[in-house]
Amino acid sequence: MLTGSLLCSQSTEAFEPLGAFNQPVHRSHGQLRAALLNELGKPFADYFARPEADADGATIGWLAHQQGEARRWIDLPPEEQAQLDPARQR
């Protein structure tokens, strides 16, 4: 189910197959996010986009954990980067 803002969508042919927990890494999002939550906290884990594959697995959409306009980090002014920096939210 698609929730959160769509950051991008790509063909799975664009990816090199990698694995984690004996499955394709995009299917391990829950485990990887849990590790980030445990080790670094929610501010860091929320920057980890969630993959959502289509029914036939040919395309993966990458979703933010929140709704809103997606903007590149480097396009943000320094003051906003400082405000959003997850290291400062710990």
Side-chain angles (χ1 to χ4, degrees):
M1 173 194 299
L2 296 177
T3 58
S5 296
L6 180 65
L7 302 174
C8 70
S9 183
Q10 295 176 291
S11 166
T12 54
E13 292 178 7
F15 300 109
E16 180 179 336
L18 298 175
F21 309 106
N22 294 321
Q23 58 184 339
V25 73
H26 72 274
R27 291 190 188 146
S28 301
H29 177 267
Q31 294 96 325
L32 295 169
R33 181 171 165 76
L36 285 170
L37 282 167
N38 186 50
E39 293 295 320
L40 300 173
K42 189 174 183 323
F44 283 90
D46 282 350
Y47 279 101
F48 188 55
R50 181 173 52 84
E52 183 83 26
D54 63 4
D56 63 4
T59 303
I60 295 179
W62 298 92
L63 300 144
H65 286 274
Q66 298 179 15
Q67 291 290 337
E69 177 189 0
R71 297 179 292 157
R72 296 180 331 156
W73 184 263
I74 63 171
D75 293 338
L76 299 175
E79 312 80 51
E80 196 168 357
Q81 287 181 6
Q83 180 185 7
L84 296 171
D85 185 350
R88 298 183 76 172
Q89 299 177 28
R90 291 185 84 187

